[in-house]
Amino acid sequence: MNQALDIFRSSGYCFSRNPVFLNSSRNSPAFLLHKQNFPQEHLAAPLFEKYRRLVCSKRVNSKPFIPTESNSLCVEAETCDGADFSAVPHVQTLREFPKEELSEKVVMVRFDSKLLFQQLQERKIQCENAVSTIKYLHEAGAKVILISSWDADDENTMKIVRAESIAGALSSVLQVKVVPVKLVTTHIHSAKQESNIILLENLFQFKEEPANCKGFARLLSSGVDIFVNDAFSQSHRVLASTVAISRFCYASIAGFHFEAVLSQLKNITKTSQKPYVAIIGGGNLVEKAAALRLLVSICDGLVFVGNIAFQIMHALGLPLPMKLVEHGATEEALTLINSMKSRSRAVIVPKDFLCLNNLNPEKLEIFSADCLVDGWQPVDLGPESLEEIASLVSKCKKILWIGPVRFGLSHSDAGEASRLGAVVDRLRSQNNLETILVGKVACTTVLGSNLNYSVIENASVVWEFLKGRSLPGLMALDRSYPFDIKWDGVYDDPTRPLVVDVGSGNGLFLFGMAKKTKDLNFLGLEINGKLVNRCLERVLQTGMKNGYFIRTNATSTFRSIISSYPGELVLVSIQCPNPDFNKPEHRWEMVQRSLIEAIADLLALDGKVFLQSDIEGVAIRMKSEFVKYGKGKIMVMDESEDASCYQRQWLNENPFGVRSDWEQHVLDRGANMYRLLLSKPAIIAGSTCRG
């Protein structure tokens, strides 16, 4: 047996006939769930000790301290992965993915065709990131398949409609030969045999693409190992090539361009740079109301331009031609105005306009905002408006410009925005402003645009994000663990061998193990935040120094978490996964290839994997998956090592003598448990291991 089992055996654990079972009564004080959120994602050593001291100081007559809203240490936690889909998750990126794992893998890249074919100077960095993704994969030895959609009527793709033409253009950009291939199942065979990059035909012609058709995605990804999404501009849409496809690849990660723009998106809501002003254009105030409320809460000032400015002006009581007022926008505008007043936000609406005579387009005049008359069309901001905006912006450290400066019924953006763009560019250069440009108009009309701008061209994605809505293309990607764990603040000795329970639930198995065995550290990985809260609360109440729990989706984050642990990983347990989560098409099934490969790589030599389920089919599948994806490193322990422990292929008893609550429940009702112990032998030999 390995180091872990030797330690357990010396502690009276191995193959105990009288297993330890912990009381799981939900009425026990140890399991009372406090209302205040506990910072389960990460605890630096000082914070952990501070909370521990707080717990100890609140104990009276040895009664357990249960944190409440009045006495709990309140810490604002960042978004957790896998469970909270109301905010931006931390996703797995190509930069973090082990480069050696890419060799000989079939990797499908969803690229942004518009981005690669636009050669505007202000998109230089974005183009470089998009190109770098494909080059990086190719140089890492991956078999790369490119997919995208391009519209023949879109001027940005230069009316290149045939895949052959696209492939030629990509070959020129990438400096690698790109071969066009029809979308059939043989394209995977072609990819494995082809040393060049493969481009599949235009997805624009397939109606299954916008329908997010699962069958189409299955065909598209047939034989693909890894999916890389580098088309951030499509992340707000539900497409087969960005959402459904992730169900059929063992890893779904973000490319370099996707990662870069996602970082810029998150930066919009950061308020470290003050004062922070948003220049807001476009129309449809009612549709954008939720997003505008968020901007009111994070920005110190708001400048309204374009059609949306007329709605604010109308709510303020300024006389306007009714053709400029959107139906139903007044109530929302009043709500925004009241919110801005209550927060003492600086608000600017245009004071004057440059107007065009409808009967004589050559005639231009400047009108005050309260003196607009019929027959004259506002086409640009007047000098007083520009001066006031410049005065506000000159005092800022950060600017967000989102939306077009389109006034009234005008259909021209570039000319109207150029004067405002000149002001923004001049002030950015003079004051070193952090500037975020969102939308095509903002990106193309700011004069002197250079690498100091953050650029997000698709404004629709940003508006959806600001409204608090999930981005389907982003949510389909694997999660990663976003924090550096301070292991010396979690365990008193972080160099001890580590035992990890994947899907630790209420933690009873790990608590029992940690209580009996002080020479090991124990870590529970669980996606259910409430259960993790309970477990962390109990860790603090009991003063446990060798146990800890993390809220995470271990399928995606196991490698990033465990690889940073300073000691050896000697045992991994996966017990009683929900059978509903073991359907092949279920995105969040627990035992996936990515998890198994991470365990196989990180498990110490002679380390063990303990699998058990009360459903034989689930246990069989877990075994077969480990044998299939264990890279030849994980073997089922030979029955001859302890033949008395096996009944056919299953262990008769729990080898650790500690039962989980569900295991005890199953045994109490007279049902069977199907247990299996796998090993990572130092020397693979047929006499000791079998596949």
Side-chain angles (χ1 to χ4, degrees), residues 18-92:
N18 298 302
V20 177
F21 178 68
L22 303 178
N23 181 9
S24 62
S25 171
R26 291 180 180 270
N27 295 323
S28 170
F31 292 99
L32 294 178
L33 180 62
H34 55 82
K35 294 181 180 180
Q36 185 69 31
N37 288 332
F38 185 79
Q40 69 274 15
E41 281 284 14
H42 69 306
L43 284 177
L47 176 59
F48 190 86
E49 289 304 319
K50 183 177 180 181
Y51 199 87
R52 191 188 298 278
R53 288 195 297 270
L54 178 62
V55 170
C56 294
S57 67
K58 295 295 183 178
R59 288 176 178 160
V60 180
N61 299 327
S62 300
K63 293 181 180 180
F65 165 63
I66 308 299
T68 64
E69 291 185 1
S70 61
N71 61 20
S72 179
L73 177 64
C74 181
V75 177
E76 185 177 354
E78 295 191 44
T79 304
C80 303
D81 57 274
D84 183 8
F85 289 97
S86 63
V88 177
H90 299 272
V91 296
Q92 184 72 34

Side-chain angles (χ1 to χ4, degrees), residues 433-484:
L433 297 178
E434 179 182 353
T435 307
I436 305 172
L437 305 176
V438 177
K440 179 181 177 181
V441 175
C443 294
T444 57
T445 59
V446 174
L447 301 182
S449 188
N450 55 53
L451 304 184
N452 293 319
Y453 288 106
S454 295
V455 175
I456 306 176
E457 292 194 16
N458 193 323
S460 297
V461 176
V462 179
W463 283 120
E464 290 298 293
F465 165 72
L466 294 176
K467 292 173 189 175
R469 296 177 182 173
S470 297
L471 301 177
L474 174 64
M475 294 302 176
L477 298 176
D478 294 336
R479 307 297 193 261
S480 67
Y481 195 68
F483 304 110
D484 293 329

Side-chain angles (χ1 to χ4, degrees), residues 204-224:
F204 181 77
Q205 61 187 310
F206 295 97
K207 63 182 180 181
E208 295 88 350
E209 162 73 344
N212 192 33
C213 177
K214 190 182 299 183
F216 180 69
R218 185 184 288 110
L219 171 64
L220 197 62
S221 62
S222 176
V224 172

Side-chain angles (χ1 to χ4, degrees), residues 282 305-308 310 404-413 416 441:
V305 295
N307 282 348
I308 204 167
F310 295 133
V405 188
R406 177 183 294 136
F407 289 103
L409 303 179
S410 172
H411 298 289
S412 173
D413 288 311
E416 298 163 5
V441 175

Side-chain angles (χ1 to χ4, degrees), residues 153-289:
D153 296 328
D154 191 335
E155 63 179 3
N156 293 323
T157 57
M158 300 180 296
K159 301 187 183 300
I160 300 176
V161 296
R162 299 184 60 190
E164 290 79 5
S165 300
I166 294 287
L170 284 173
S171 297
S172 175
V173 172
L174 299 170
Q175 296 298 301
V176 178
K177 185 172 177 58
V178 178
V179 180
V181 175
K182 290 289 185 181
L183 178 56
V184 291
T185 54
T186 56
H187 70 261
I188 301 301
H189 176 74
S190 301
K192 292 182 177 179
Q193 302 300 320
E194 180 68 57
S195 60
N196 299 309
I197 296 173
I198 282 180
L199 172 68
L200 296 189
E201 56 190 308
N202 190 359
L203 298 181
F204 181 77
Q205 61 187 310
F206 295 97
K207 63 182 180 181
E208 295 88 350
E209 162 73 344
N212 192 33
C213 177
K214 190 182 299 183
F216 180 69
R218 185 184 288 110
L219 171 64
L220 197 62
S221 62
S222 176
V224 172
D225 299 306
I226 301 169
F227 169 64
V228 177
N229 190 347
D230 220 22
F232 187 86
S233 64
Q234 301 300 312
S235 59
H236 64 303
R237 303 180 62 193
V238 182
L239 304 173
S241 65
T242 59
V243 178
I245 193 174
S246 64
R247 297 170 179 252
F248 306 104
C249 304
Y250 87 83
S252 298
I253 60 182
F256 296 142
H257 169 65
F258 195 109
E259 178 189 7
V261 183
L262 179 59
S263 177
Q264 294 170 3
L265 183 71
K266 293 178 181 179
N267 187 38
I268 290 176
T269 59
K270 293 180 180 179
T271 57
S272 55
Q273 296 280 19
K274 293 278 190 175
Y276 179 16
V277 167
I279 300 174
I280 305 167
N284 299 318
L285 183 144
V286 175
E287 173 64 23
K288 298 173 181 174

Side-chain angles (χ1 to χ4, degrees), residues 499-504 509 525 554-555 558 571-578 582 589-592 595-596 599 608-614 618-619 622-623 625-626 656 660 673-678:
V499 175
V500 178
D501 188 23
V502 178
S504 54
F509 174 74
L525 304 179
T555 299
F558 186 94
L571 175 66
V572 177
S573 64
I574 303 176
Q575 305 182 54
C576 305
N578 189 329
N582 282 272
E589 77 175 282
M590 181 185 292
V591 186
Q592 287 191 13
L595 173 62
I596 296 171
I599 293 173
K608 299 293 187 290
V609 178
F610 177 55
L611 307 175
Q612 75 166 343
S613 176
D614 58 319
V618 173
M622 287 195 293
K623 171 193 172 184
E625 294 290 286
F626 266 90
F656 308 109
S660 68
M673 290 297 298
Y674 302 92
R675 309 181 183 94
L676 195 66
L677 202 60
L678 296 88

